Structures are given as structure tokens and as C-alpha cells.
Amino acid sequence: MSIDVLQNYINGEFVASSTTETLDLINPVDESVVGRAPVSTKSDVDAAVEAAERAFMSWGKTTPSVRQTALLKLADAIEAHSDELVEAECRNTGQPKQVIADEEIKVGADQLRFFAGAARMLEGKAAGEYMEGFTSYVRREPIGVVGQVTPWNYPFMMALWKIGPALAAGNTIVLKPSDTTPNSTLVLARLTKGILPDGVFNVVLGNGETGATLVEHPALGLVSITGSVRAGIAVAVSAARQLKRAHLELGGKAPAIVFGDVDIEKTADGIAEAAFFNAGQDCTAATRVLVHESIHDQLVDALVRKAETLKPGLPDDPDTFYGPLNNINHFNTVSAKIADLPASAKIATGGRRSGEQGFFFEPTVITGVDQRDDIVQEETFGPILTVQSFSDEKEAVTLANDVRYGLASSVWTQDHGVTQRLSAALDFGAVWINCHIPLVAEMPHGGFKYSGYGKDLSGYGVEDYTRIKHVMSSHD
């Protein structure tokens, strides 16, 4: 397999970095080197930000219809180049190719079309005379140049979640993809040529230090990251020093609360698929099953049976449910979580590496855990599901909320009253009822507590990339 030599995308062109330092890109399927990317320096970041500043002078003044047209053209280009994008993404992630095509490329293009429409639907308070003799109205304006950092779990779709609302609102962008998964973002950058004016969308490659350099740039009006709690806190602290805005979508530890009246097999199927999809590398993944004590053993048995059918495998294998963990560091972290389980914990299935090559890990179901155990409290970001029991509704809510994360949750029951009470009581940004993990562009995605703040998707996501100005005019 050939080795890609990657470059930054600045002011509408691919350009070499000012540094000779590079990072090897490792295919997690076979652990081979498939590319080399520059570790961009401050001068590279400066060049990208300066290009975005120049472009904002005109892009920030475009009409919503112009921005809508550009985003619609970009969505069409994405669909037309689906095969190329799938191959680029797969080289970095090892995900099943059909999953990339269906869940990132197709869905991502649809989400971009939503943002194209949202560009023309911004809302504000009605103009009126709120004080006698004066008319007031609200202007909703773009912020300016925004810096964005994307993760490695869904590299292409997360890039679209970032750029869609930012461009719809009239901002210009400097984006740094994860150091392990830059390929599909660079294909996206190439597709913007001729659709977006030069400098509107820029990409700088590099490591965490490169990302910190971008976040610290004084010309940015907002910084946005999807990533770990540790990275999110670092971004928030850096942004606070310059009083710039931060938009954070961080980790999760989603509970799936199961009551005794469910169809056990159907519920187990839904939860297991939501737990192990993309090898559990999803901040909204179902990671903690909280089940009523009356059906605990039956549900565990059903989860194990389902888990053992959801096999990791190669990207072209139609029987593959999920691919490898993304990189060796993450593989070692997930493995350590299993090695450090308390003595009381029981691995009902899985818990081991799958195969001898690549970063594949078996779907894992664990029982006998306590609420204070690290495996319950901290995000694993791997194909690991814990099961705990509860005796009543109050205890279920207490256990669900007793983690530092607040991104997503689900409730499984046929009792309408229970769903209504728990949807209010659960301290999470999303509550799914008898399902877990579906997302739509029209609804907001974002959490509370250590899961961050700010919303992706929906009109709220676009609003996050705007600033509000009050204009008041005297009648005299």
C-alpha cells in the first residue's frame, strides 16, 4: 500500500508545512504506515488564520442565499465523491466501508443540506417599540474566524458538524483534524475548491501542540472541540485567557435504564448495537445498563447472546459489525480498563483482543460492578458494557445521574408515565425512549456537566456560531 504524504490546505491550496517534522499515520487494521502528516507550527497556523481573516471580509457579508447555495453544492460534491471519501476514511479508521458510506458520507451530506436551509432561518426578537419613541431590533451576526478541532472516531462527519453551522452563519474556519485521521478532511478541503471562496475553509495538520497553538491564536472569536474532557478543559482554559467563546462536545457515560415490562430480546438487541457500534468509540454509546432487579439475569443473558453475534472484522467483510480501535495508545487504554477491574466484577463475555493483528477488541459485557468503580464512572470509549441492577425508579435515576458526564441516556419501558418522569429527571442532554443513539439534523446534540456545553446540529448549533447585537433608533 502506498504512503500518503499530506499537506495543509490554506487559502484554497495545498501547501507544505514550514516544518520537516512529521507524524506516521497507522492503519489500525494491519498496523501498517499509510501516510505521513506534518506537525504544523505557529507559522502554519498564522498563515491559515490570516487567510481566514482576509476571506471573512467578504464571506461574512454574503447573503444567506449565497451561503445556502455553496453548502448545497458542497453536499452534492460529497455524494459524488463518496467512494473516494470512504477509502480515505478507511485508511485511517479501519471502519467497515459500508458503515462509513451510510453513516458518515450519506448522513453527513444530508446534515450539510440542513445547515444550508438553516442559513436562511435565523431568528431573533421582533423589531418593535419597546420604549416609547424608539425602535429596537436584533442583528444576528457571524463571529469571524473560528478555530475547530475534530476527533478520530467519526472524522468526516464531525468535520461537517463543525463547518456546517459555522459556514451557514457566515464565519470562516481553520480546522485541525485528529493527528491519526486527517485523510477524509483533506479530501473535503479539496472538494470545497471552487465552491467556497479561497480562505473560507483552511486545514492545518499536526498534534496536540498544533491544536493548542490554534486555540490560543488571538484572532479567533470562537474555538470548538469535540474530544476528551481533558482536551476540552485545556481549550476552555486557553479560551478564557482571551475571553473568547468556547464550544465543547466532550465525553459521555450514557446509561440505558431498563424496566421490568420490556421485551427482553428486543431491548437487548437495541442496547447492544448502541453499545458496540463503531467499537464503542462514540460519546453517546450505551455504556451502563441499569436494569430492574426482576429481569437482571435474563437481560444479561440476552445481552451476551447478542454481543457474541456483533463481531469486529475487516472493512470489506459484510459480516463485520465494527472495526478496530483507532490507535495503539487507545487500544492499550481500553485493555488497561479490563486489567484493572475490581475482584467483584465478572466478564460475562469478551474482555480480550480479537485476532493477532490490528487493534481489534471483543464486545464485552461486565456484571458485578459497583457505582464507584472506575469502569462505571469513567468513559472507556471501547466496546465495553456494564450491567447494574436497581430496585425502584428513584434508585434508577440516582444511579444514572451519579457520574460526572451528562451527554446522553435512554429509558426502556412501556409505561408512559415512567418515560415522562425520567425524561425530566435525567441530567443528560439527550433522552431516548425505547431506542438509543439515533440522531437527526433538526434536533440539538450536546450535554451537561463534564460533557461540555454548546450544541451541535439543529438551529441551536447555528446560533452558537453567531453574535447578537441590539440596534436602537430614536424616532426624533
Side-chain angles (χ1 to χ4, degrees), residues 100-142:
I100 299 172
D102 292 343
E103 301 298 332
E104 292 204 58
I105 312 305
K106 182 179 178 180
V107 171
D110 176 72
Q111 290 165 341
L112 205 58
R113 291 190 177 104
F114 167 81
F115 288 122
R120 302 182 74 163
M121 293 293 290
L122 292 177
E123 298 179 354
K125 197 172 184 69
E129 290 66 52
Y130 298 96
M131 179 181 291
E132 186 176 349
F134 297 86
T135 296
S136 290
Y137 63 92
V138 169
R139 290 179 55 86
R140 191 176 283 278
E141 301 175 338

Side-chain angles (χ1 to χ4, degrees), residues 249-306:
E249 200 277 274
L250 310 177
K253 196 66 180 172
I257 306 172
V258 183
F259 286 84
D261 60 348
V262 300
D263 179 320
I264 292 177
E265 294 295 330
K266 181 179 179 181
T267 300
D269 286 355
I271 292 174
E273 289 176 3
F276 303 128
F277 184 77
N278 199 30
Q281 298 171 129
D282 190 311
C283 51
T284 62
T287 60
R288 298 182 291 141
V289 173
L290 307 175
V291 55
H292 192 268
E293 58 192 10
S294 64
I295 61 167
H296 174 275
D297 293 348
Q298 299 98 304
L299 184 65
V300 169
D301 290 344
L303 287 169
V304 168
R305 287 194 299 272
K306 181 63 176 180

Side-chain angles (χ1 to χ4, degrees), residues 68-79:
Q68 178 191 45
T69 299
L71 291 175
L72 291 174
K73 287 181 179 179
L74 184 56
D76 290 344
I78 287 168
E79 287 186 334

